[in-house]
Amino acid sequence: RANRLEFIASFAPDTRLKQMVGIWDLDAAQYPYSDAFTNPANGDIYIVGNGRYPMTVAGYGMIGPETGEYLYVIKFDRELAFR
C-alpha cells in the first residue's frame, strides 16, 4: 500500500528514532502525494497537498468532499500529536 510510505517521525538528539506516526488510513488505490513542512519556531509539522476524492487521516477521519478537487493542511505538534 503506497499510503504507508507517508509518515512523520521524531528523533532523539543522538539521531535514534523516538517515534513514528502514519498519517493516512487509505485503500490500496489511494495515494495522497503530500509535502511536509516544519515550523522552525515551535516544531509544528504541516502536511499539505491536494486531492480529488475523500481521504482518511489516521486517528481523525475523512477529509475532502465527495467529488471535486480540494486542498488540505494537516497539523501535528512537535510530539507528533494530531492538532
Side-chain angles (χ1 to χ4, degrees):
R1 290 175 47 143
N3 63 67
R4 291 186 181 160
L5 299 176
E6 286 206 356
F7 60 89
I8 54 177
S10 62
F11 296 87
D14 65 358
T15 69
R16 284 184 297 143
L17 179 67
K18 283 179 24 180
Q19 182 180 10
M20 185 181 305
V21 175
I23 300 169
W24 303 102
D25 185 15
L26 306 176
D27 66 38
Q30 291 180 297
Y31 192 84
Y33 299 105
S34 302
D35 287 314
F37 301 93
T38 303
N39 180 339
N42 62 12
D44 287 346
I45 301 164
Y46 297 89
I47 309 301
V48 299
N50 64 352
R52 291 180 179 243
Y53 306 100
M55 296 189 293
T56 302
V57 176
Y60 175 75
M62 193 77 65
I63 62 169
E66 286 188 32
T67 58
E69 201 164 320
Y70 62 95
L71 300 173
Y72 57 85
V73 177
I74 304 166
K75 180 180 175 182
F76 294 86
D77 67 18
R78 68 177 28 227
E79 303 303 320
L80 306 186
F82 179 80
R83 296 286 172 208

